[in-house]
Amino acid sequence: WRAICRGIIHRPHNRERHIMPMTPPRIRPQQSGYTLVELIVAVGLFAFVMTLSSGAYLMMIGLNRQAQGIATGIDDLSFALETMTRDIRTGSEYDCAGLGDCPSGASSFSFRNRHGVLVTYSLSDSSLVKTSNSIQSTLTDPSVTLSSLTFYAAGTSPAPSDYQQSHVVIIASGTVSTGAGKEEPFTVETSATMRGTDI
């Protein structure tokens, strides 16, 4: 009993003694968690940051769609003008709205293509229209709205009265739809010179 009180236990079989602590074991403090207020503040901050991030992401998507819409419309218009100028370069007998030369500009342009067929380019219902063998075909996309199409031709008179090579300058202006209800204005200028000689 005295040994136990002194913190010593005697074991008779091997006479080992073990010291028992005289002080009671320390009680570990309970691990404190997050309070309700801290959770509410953390969730609120997270929701605020996510709202800002998603807004910026949606804005970037909208701008990307607008840029793609504009690029698509301009590419379509460029292809239409390239097709027209290629036909004009390989054609002959240029005629600007029945006036021959038109330094002041005209809204239509006619010529004979490399197959001898009369072709006319003009503006109709805000679109670039090609008329060949009384058949009309629209060259521009519905997203492109042309407000003006002007042709400036020179050197259309046949030799020997004219010693200038036939050429034409084309200026097209209008708007292109961005796909989000908005429209962007544009003005495009190109030119074409008769590949064959008429001097």
Side-chain angles (χ1 to χ4, degrees):
W1 173 259
R2 290 178 182 173
I4 292 175
C5 289
R6 288 199 304 265
I8 301 171
I9 298 178
H10 292 277
R11 293 189 180 180
H13 61 279
N14 57 7
R15 297 189 179 273
E16 293 179 357
R17 355 183 236 181
H18 298 278
I19 306 298
M20 293 181 61
M22 297 302 295
T23 57
R26 294 183 180 178
I27 300 174
R28 293 182 181 178
Q30 279 188 334
Q31 293 180 352
S32 58
Y34 295 106
T35 63
L36 182 60
V37 175
E38 291 174 338
L39 287 175
I40 291 174
V41 171
V43 171
L45 288 175
F46 177 75
F48 179 71
V49 171
M50 289 303 296
T51 301
L52 291 179
S53 301
S54 61
Y57 179 69
L58 292 176
M59 185 175 65
M60 291 299 295
I61 290 178
L63 292 175
N64 187 29
R65 287 179 179 173
Q66 291 181 12
Q68 286 182 352
I70 294 173
T72 301
I74 294 300
D75 288 346
D76 178 79
L77 178 64
S78 299
F79 179 75
L81 292 177
E82 180 62 27
T83 302
M84 179 175 62
T85 54
R86 189 185 307 118
D87 285 347
I88 292 173
R89 285 191 193 102
T90 57
S92 60
E93 299 181 20
Y94 288 7
D95 185 17
C96 195
L99 303 174
D101 288 354
C102 51
S104 300
S107 59
S108 65
F109 183 77
S110 301
F111 63 97
R112 292 201 175 272
N113 63 12
R114 62 182 179 275
H115 303 295
V117 178
L118 182 64
V119 178
T120 302
Y121 286 99
S122 61
L123 179 65
S124 177
D125 295 330
S126 302
S127 299
L128 177 60
V129 175
K130 175 183 178 180
T131 305
S132 178
N133 288 330
S134 302
I135 299 174
Q136 286 190 350
S137 57
T138 303
L139 300 181
T140 52
D141 191 76
S143 63
V144 177
T145 302
L146 289 177
S147 58
S148 67
L149 180 66
T150 309
F151 298 90
Y152 299 91
T156 61
S157 300
S161 60
D162 181 18
Y163 294 97
Q164 186 179 11
Q165 184 72 7
S166 298
H167 67 277
V168 59
V169 177
I170 307 149
I171 300 176
S173 61
T175 58
V176 56
S177 175
T178 62
K182 298 180 181 180
E183 294 183 343
E184 291 290 332
F186 69 87
T187 299
V188 181
E189 180 177 344
T190 185
S191 62
T193 302
M194 184 186 297
R195 197 170 283 176
T197 179
D198 65 341
I199 298 175

